[in-house]
Amino acid sequence: MLKYEVKKLLVNYKTLEEFKQFKEYGVQELSMLEDLQENMIENDSESPFYGIYYGDKLVARMSLYQIEAAYDQYFDPPQDYLELWKLEVLPHHQTKGLGKSLVEFAKTFHLPIKTNGRQQSGGFWEKMGFEAVTYNQDRDRGQNPYVWYPTGVSEQRLA
């Protein structure tokens, strides 16, 4: 299997143009275009966006946001964690392990990870070692959270 290198994406106009190709594939609910425009600072190296290039073309991307322990409602003990959003691989590059490479990269931060699985994506997240959380109406508000627990971390039990 090929090994793909995940790179932090710069927030600049080139990246904005590259994101437009993802939205053209009709996956508007995953589009980071609006996020990118809101965070537009020329070559901001502190962007939450990561991607994989095939040659010079961006073919897979995700965003990772670090959430402070004070807001943790998922992990025991409560701690800083990552929220993984908008994982997407362009159609012609799917089934090549790019999504897995992005998820494995996120795990290298050694923080718990939360994501909201799209419909019919549960199998992918479970294959990546994530678990569905016990649904809580007030906390989850109709979302479908999946979490990854590093060693020594478990699900937070809400009262």
Side-chain angles (χ1 to χ4, degrees), residues 8 50 62 64-70 72 74-84 102-115 125 128-131 146-154:
K8 184 170 213 128
Y50 296 85
M62 70 175 170
L64 284 177
Y65 294 94
Q66 186 164 329
I67 309 299
E68 294 178 20
D72 180 5
Y74 292 94
F75 303 102
D76 186 22
Q79 60 198 280
D80 289 359
Y81 67 95
L82 295 175
E83 201 159 88
L84 189 156
L102 288 169
V103 173
E104 293 299 328
F105 175 80
K107 290 178 179 181
T108 66
F109 289 91
H110 304 290
L111 291 172
I113 303 170
K114 175 202 171 257
T115 191
W125 291 110
M128 296 296 100
F130 283 65
E131 300 175 21
Y146 280 82
V147 294
W148 176 74
Y149 304 106
T151 303
V153 179
S154 60

Side-chain angles (χ1 to χ4, degrees), residues 13-63:
Y13 288 98
K14 179 183 183 292
T15 306
L16 179 62
E17 287 303 311
E18 290 172 329
F19 280 7
K20 287 181 181 177
Q21 69 188 352
F22 285 85
K23 192 168 189 167
E24 288 171 7
Y25 281 91
V27 193
Q28 293 181 1
E29 73 276 11
L30 294 181
S31 174
M32 288 193 283
L33 189 56
E34 291 81 10
D35 288 353
L36 183 64
Q37 287 171 323
E38 289 171 13
N39 290 294
M40 183 68 74
I41 300 170
E42 194 66 28
N43 286 328
D44 179 2
S45 61
E46 294 305 311
S47 85
F49 310 112
Y50 296 85
I52 297 174
Y53 285 86
Y54 181 76
D56 63 350
K57 181 180 180 181
L58 181 65
V59 296
R61 84 263 173 90
M62 70 175 170
S63 59

Side-chain angles (χ1 to χ4, degrees), residues 122-140:
F124 170 79
W125 291 110
E126 289 167 5
K127 207 159 96 175
M128 296 296 100
F130 283 65
E131 300 175 21
V133 297
T134 306
Y135 186 80
N136 178 290
Q137 180 73 34
D138 294 329
R139 176 191 68 191
D140 302 325

